[in-house]
Amino acid sequence: SLNDAILTTINAGISVAVAAGNNNGGDACSYSPSSATGVMTVGASTSSDALASYSNIGSCLFTFAPGSLIPSAGYSSDTAEVTMSGTSMATPHVSGAAA
């Protein structure tokens, strides 16, 4: 399973950060890979440091990071930018800090 593969990675000494998911307050422990043992599961916060309404929550969360209205790369050209929201936008903040 995905969780088993992640556990093998963690046991090899590699840190793993994963998105909590965007199920509007769903329990992150009910989804993979956010339920994997030892991962840094990341929920999303807003620019005012409040819980983002779309972010999953629960005891599996390691932390929250900014995930709302994040500038990101677009695909329409080499210089395209888009603004995105989600726990997948929050997770790189944590993986960068862990690195």
Side-chain angles (χ1 to χ4, degrees):
S1 74
L2 179 57
N3 283 10
D4 290 336
I6 289 172
L7 184 58
T8 299
T9 302
I10 291 169
N11 287 340
I14 300 169
S15 298
V16 178
V18 300
N22 304 310
N23 298 100
N24 302 311
D27 185 359
C29 301
S30 298
Y31 301 93
S32 178
S34 56
S35 61
T37 301
V39 297
M40 295 178 286
T41 299
V42 183
S45 62
T46 67
S47 60
S48 61
D49 203 27
L51 172 66
S53 62
Y54 53 82
S55 180
N56 283 357
I57 56 175
S59 61
C60 290
L61 264 73
F62 174 78
T63 193
F64 289 87
S68 295
L69 305 174
I70 304 298
S72 186
Y75 62 85
S76 61
S77 75
D78 289 344
T79 58
E81 294 181 21
V82 294
T83 300
M84 302 176 73
S85 296
T87 56
S88 293
M89 296 285 95
T91 303
H93 292 87
V94 175
S95 56

